[in-house]
Amino acid sequence: NMSDPIKVKKEGSILEVIIDRPKANAIDSKTSVILGDVFADFRDNPDLRVAILSGAGKKFFSAGWDLKAASKGEKADADYGVGGFGGLQELPEMNKPIIGAINGIACGGGFEIMISTDIIIAAEHATFALPEINVGVIADAATIKLRRRIPYHIAVEFLMTGRWMDTKEAKHWGLINEIVPSKDLLNRARVIAHKIANGPQLIYSSIKDILRQTENVNEQSSFNLLRSLESVNKVYRS
């Protein structure tokens, strides 16, 4: 349906998800619930192996929380669906890889959705910010996640100043994997997706499981934990 805020396309075992809510691809609770359902279905559908998440248009990937909805009374603690805000951040057991194809501005909640993906490629003109500080709100998911992605001091400064970062700086800090010309963005994402879709699925889910389960565990304990994970034992049994 053309008016759906989320466009979904299946190409073989690859799922493409496009946030399409002109003008800023902002997310209200209804859109968030749809995204959560889309990604839960992706997680649970054995025929789907890898997802690409992008935004419609050239200007915005997503501006995050829809402030218009907020002005009409939508609360910050509204029901955002099974995956929390944006469908991905808190979706449990998400053991399949997701490629973020960032086509423009990713700010606030849009930035938080971006850092919930596993591999991030960005159009060269994309820019990033957490402007929450300017309106007296906590960028809570980013406060948890960002220092695990980039150096602590950079993360804190970014959170506390609300400043903008361009793709060159983002790549310098390892926040994104690569920068591509805007016209090549989705094709490049599809190339990566095909490579993963044709690879050993059990290993991918095992990698994501290990990454998640050992995130805050020291190295020695991580090895012990590793041996107890069903996703790992499955690989060795197969």
Side-chain angles (χ1 to χ4, degrees):
N1 184 336
M2 285 315 288
S3 65
D4 287 349
I6 303 300
K7 306 280 188 285
V8 177
K9 186 170 110 187
K10 293 175 184 172
E11 273 301 319
S13 57
I14 300 168
L15 178 73
E16 291 187 12
V17 181
I18 307 287
I19 304 169
D20 186 6
R21 287 194 80 219
K23 304 172 177 176
N25 294 335
I27 311 248
D28 60 357
S29 57
K30 180 179 157 235
T31 306
S32 184
V33 167
I34 296 170
L35 276 166
D37 291 343
V38 164
F39 281 112
D41 177 65
F42 165 68
R43 176 193 64 193
D44 300 338
N45 182 342
D47 298 330
L48 294 173
R49 298 182 158 193
V50 53
I52 295 169
L53 174 62
S54 195
K58 290 254 164 70
K59 187 151 189 226
F60 281 93
F61 167 69
S62 172
W65 192 31
D66 184 349
L67 297 175
K68 275 203 202 88
S71 70
K72 288 182 189 147
E74 183 177 301
K75 299 279 188 281
D77 59 358
D79 177 11
Y80 288 109
V82 290
F85 179 83
L88 259 188
Q89 326 217 55
E90 299 170 53
L91 190 63
E93 307 300 321
M94 175 46 91
N95 277 354
K96 292 177 182 178
I98 298 168
I99 299 163
I102 312 305
N103 55 298
I105 292 169
C107 65
F111 180 89
E112 292 176 322
I113 294 168
M114 173 183 100
I115 60 173
S116 301
T117 64
D118 301 297
I119 295 170
I120 303 173
I121 64 172
E124 49 206 346
H125 68 278
T127 50
F128 314 99
L130 291 166
E132 280 87 341
I133 194 81
N134 302 322
V135 287
V137 186
I138 302 170
D140 47 9
T143 305
I144 293 168
K145 286 185 174 184
L146 191 56
R147 54 84 55 87
R148 293 171 159 90
R149 307 280 187 277
I150 64 176
Y152 174 87
H153 306 97
I154 308 303
V156 171
E157 177 227 357
F158 194 65
L159 282 156
M160 288 191 176
T161 64
R163 75 173 177 88
W164 289 87
M165 189 183 283
D166 63 11
T167 44
K168 195 170 166 224
E169 188 189 353
K171 187 164 188 318
H172 172 78
W173 297 124
L175 183 63
I176 60 178
N177 295 68
E178 55 183 272
I179 303 167
V180 290
S182 187
K183 63 178 183 10
D184 303 331
L185 182 69
L186 275 178
N187 283 336
R188 177 65 187 132
R190 288 171 186 139
V191 167
I192 301 169
H194 276 286
K195 187 172 172 54
I196 293 173
N198 293 321
Q201 297 315 300
L202 281 176
I203 310 263
Y204 296 131
S205 63
S206 182
I207 288 170
K208 278 203 70 171
D209 199 20
I210 294 166
L211 286 167
R212 235 194 6 255
Q213 305 272 4
T214 62
E215 185 168 28
N216 291 314
V217 183
N218 72 33
E219 217 170 85
Q220 193 51 56
S221 309
S222 292
F223 278 103
N224 302 332
L225 178 63
L226 177 79
R227 295 184 185 101
S228 73
L229 291 178
E230 177 53 26
S231 66
V232 175
N233 290 318
K234 232 187 218 163
V235 170
Y236 291 129
R237 284 199 304 267
S238 67

